[in-house]
Amino acid sequence: GKAQIGVTGLAVMGRNLARNLARNGFRVALHNRSQARTDALVAEFGSEGEFVPSTDLAGFVESLEQPRKVIIMVKAGAPTDAVIDELVPLLAEGDIVVDAGNAHFADTRRREAALRDKGLHFVGSGVSGGEEGALNGPSIMPGGSPESYAALEPMLTKISAHVNGEPCCVHVGPDGAGHFVKMLHNGIEYADMQLIAEAYDLLRHALGLSPAELAEVFRDWNTGDLESFLIEITAEVLSQTDPTTGGAFVDIVLDQAEQKGTGRWTVQSALDLGIPVSGMAEAVFARSLSGDVVRREAAAGVLPGPGDVKADVDRDAFIDDVRHALYSSKLVAYAQGFDAIRAASDEYGWNIDLGAMATIWRGGCIIRARFLDRIKEAYDRNPELPSLLVDDYFRDAVASGQDAWRRVVATAATIGVPAPGFSAALSYYDGLRAERLPAALIQGLRDLFGAHTYKRVDREGSFHLEWSGDRSETTA
Ligand code: NDP
């Protein structure tokens, strides 16, 4: 019989997604530009379920029951457009094209509009969890029309990760909403990893703990509020020894972080929306700095630090302080991330259910964490919550840890260990709660040099001071 769904693009992600669908009882059509991948899948995993392989795209489309459901899982960017262009003339009205690759949401909006004009549904869907997730249950963030989601829902919710019986797959919203939320997930992942790295670095420098001892600290943290996949694998990486030297694995790894670009996309989009995502921005910048070998080499040993100052801290107390700093900074990063999602949802009319986004990320993806339940609960309490930080749980969590957080940032500055994530998060927190910000002075400066006008605290309207004249105030 005909296949219920098809996957074109059978590299690691597409192959595993196709296997996941087949293992869950769906009949899956297969296609890949170079046939070798299709043949390999059938040869190696053909017994896992019902596959319908095709050598060309026309045959692939022909093998699908109508309305057709095609998942594209190829390299993001131009290759995705090439596949769409080849596919579209072969499809019929009502067919559904799913792009499960890592597309930029603006591309997804463009593609969705173009296919809608042709009577086709285009679903840009975020898929997170890497190879392993694609096979055993990813976190799935589908955009597109409600009708297309209704048609896909039984399959997507079956193959997604589940937490407490609930699928980590929810219709995010129209057109690019799914890919936007996937992008934000990656941005938050950047921030999370940066904060973890700062906690490690500070503890190592301030206390002189070995990577193996630090692995124990993270293992312990993973039994509390910080419990998450990233903390768990941090313990694993820190306890690993290098097979060649027998020393700590982390010490033989070159300290230059790479990036594929989704963190940068997140920050660029947030800039466009006017939303401060300083946690993610500092994470992207920290990676850029780590890779800037020329300037690092020019500065190392040349720019003076604070000298051999010892952190004046008690071991166990400082470990607990850093735990608080990490958790509070992480809450800020998530609060900022959800602000960006809310702003995009308003800007593009997506009507995103913020609490539901936290449930999608509870399983299958890299940022899966116990504390995502707290985010869901916060939005259940108040769907109009202006910032996660003002929810009772988050407010109390930060309040109970803020003295520790301040001590950690101060210690980092004193001993000269970079902590851009911790300190930017704390500055954001203090800026958010400030009764009065120095923006008043900035407005004054702008009025002086550019007659940009200012507003007053005591009455309505815009005003300008005659700075080069008699300094009287005029109404703008
Ligand atoms: P790659 O991104 O490495 O892409 C390889 C696949 O794209 C192959 O099937 C290749 O076909 C196909 N392809 C490339 N160019 C073209 C073209 N012009 N026309 C037709 N097909 C083309 O594969 P991955 O499996 O790693 O990722 C697939 C998608 O999933 C990407 O968008 C990626 O960003 C995203 N993703 C990846 C994750 C991961 O952990 N790897 C996690 C989440 C999302 P051929 O075999 O013929 O070369």
Side-chain angles (χ1 to χ4, degrees):
K2 297 217 169 190
Q4 294 160 285
I5 191 161
V7 180
T8 178
L10 301 173
V12 282
M13 290 296 290
R15 179 186 62 198
N16 283 355
L17 217 51
R19 291 174 60 199
N20 186 351
L21 283 160
R23 286 173 172 195
N24 277 288
F26 301 108
R27 206 159 44 253
V28 188
L30 301 175
H31 174 263
N32 191 67
R33 178 179 60 178
S34 45
Q35 204 194 321
R37 286 195 204 273
T38 314
D39 294 345
L41 198 169
V42 174
E44 272 181 77
F45 308 108
S47 62
E48 290 183 355
E50 286 186 77
F51 294 109
V52 186
S54 289
T55 53
D56 59 16
L57 212 51
F60 169 74
V61 168
E62 195 48 44
S63 75
L64 286 159
E65 66 183 35
Q66 284 181 285
R68 302 182 181 91
K69 299 170 195 73
V70 176
I71 298 179
I72 301 176
M73 202 43 158
V74 302
K75 225 177 247 316
T80 302
D81 280 316
V83 173
I84 292 171
D85 289 347
E86 201 184 333
L87 197 57
V88 163
L90 304 168
L91 297 175
E93 202 170 315
D95 287 352
I96 301 168
V97 178
V98 181
D99 174 18
N102 263 338
H104 192 286
F105 78 96
D107 286 336
T108 302
R109 284 169 55 77
R110 168 177 60 78
R111 290 166 183 152
E112 196 274 339
L115 267 66
R116 188 161 15 100
D117 278 349
K118 298 186 157 69
L120 301 172
H121 294 285
F122 186 77
V123 175
S125 179
V127 175
S128 175
E131 262 183 78
E132 159 78 22
L135 183 61
N136 297 315
S139 166
I140 307 180
M141 295 151 257
S145 65
E147 305 94 283
S148 53
Y149 184 67
L152 294 166
E153 185 177 15
M155 292 192 221
L156 295 186
T157 53
K158 192 130 190 228
I159 65 164
S160 76
H162 287 77
V163 173
N164 303 331
E166 282 181 65
C168 300
C169 173
V170 175
H171 182 224
V172 176
D175 60 78
H179 274 138
F180 186 89
V181 165
K182 170 67 194 332
M183 178 182 77
L184 249 296
H185 160 282
N186 286 31
I188 289 175
E189 177 186 313
Y190 271 61
D192 243 348
M193 287 166 66
Q194 173 63 23
L195 296 171
I196 288 171
E198 289 178 21
Y200 149 80
D201 203 30
L202 264 169
L203 289 174
R204 197 159 182 191
H205 280 94
L207 302 176
L209 298 182
S210 69
E213 289 169 315
L214 287 163
E216 280 312 312
V217 171
F218 280 93
R219 217 164 268 140
D220 179 49
W221 287 355
N222 202 37
T223 61
D225 288 333
L226 279 168
E227 182 188 322
S228 60
F229 173 66
L230 281 170
I231 296 282
E232 180 191 325
I233 64 171
T234 298
E236 197 174 330
V237 171
L238 289 174
S239 59
Q240 180 65 44
T241 51
D242 169 39
T244 317
T245 61
F249 166 78
V250 72
D251 288 336
I252 57 91
V253 178
L254 193 66
D255 63 344
Q256 296 166 22
E258 296 185 0
Q259 40 187 328
K260 287 208 255 172
T262 46
R264 187 171 59 234
W265 285 357
T266 313
V267 178
Q268 284 167 337
S269 306
L271 286 172
D272 291 340
L273 292 163
I275 300 298
V277 291
S278 42
M280 295 174 231
E282 291 297 347
V284 171
F285 291 151
R287 288 201 197 181
S288 304
L289 176 62
S290 79
D292 189 354
V293 182
V294 174
R295 264 146 295 277
R296 285 181 63 192
E297 279 177 358
V302 174
L303 300 185
D308 197 18
V309 278
K310 287 275 169 293
D312 182 20
V313 292
D314 168 76
R315 181 185 187 277
D316 290 345
F318 191 64
I319 290 174
D320 208 48
D321 277 2
V322 173
R323 180 178 64 80
H324 278 299
L326 178 52
Y327 194 51
S328 296
S329 304
K330 180 177 161 125
L331 298 185
V332 167
Y334 277 74
Q336 294 179 335
F338 276 79
D339 284 348
I341 296 176
R342 192 202 50 237
S345 180
D346 291 347
E347 172 78 16
Y348 299 109
W350 287 334
N351 203 15
I352 294 178
D353 175 350
L354 296 173
M357 297 308 102
T359 65
I360 304 187
W361 295 341
R362 287 188 306 175
C365 66
I366 307 298
I367 63 172
R368 60 186 183 261
R370 179 204 282 197
F371 114 113
L372 289 167
D373 286 332
R374 306 282 94 81
I375 295 183
K376 168 84 172 98
E377 290 158 11
Y379 285 113
D380 282 348
R381 277 190 285 276
N382 177 9
E384 305 302 322
L385 195 62
S387 162
L388 275 174
L389 293 170
V390 302
D391 169 74
D392 289 354
Y393 167 82
F394 288 87
R395 185 200 57 206
D396 294 349
V398 175
S400 71
Q402 69 157 316
D403 293 345
W405 191 10
R406 294 179 194 286
R407 282 193 295 271
V408 168
V409 171
T411 300
T414 304
I415 66 173
V417 172
F422 286 174
S423 41
L426 182 56
S427 288
Y428 175 84
Y429 176 75
D430 283 333
L432 191 63
R433 64 178 194 85
E435 305 261 334
R436 206 164 147 73
L437 288 167
L441 175 58
I442 291 172
Q443 286 301 86
L445 298 173
R446 294 177 70 242
D447 190 56
L448 187 152
F449 70 67
H452 292 300
T453 76
Y454 55 91
K455 293 197 169 72
R456 297 184 56 97
V457 296
D458 53 359
R459 51 181 206 274
E460 293 288 306
S462 292
F463 304 91
H464 168 61
L465 215 64
E466 297 297 337
W467 291 99
S468 49
D470 63 359
R471 305 214 165 184
S472 60
E473 186 175 73
T474 55
T475 307

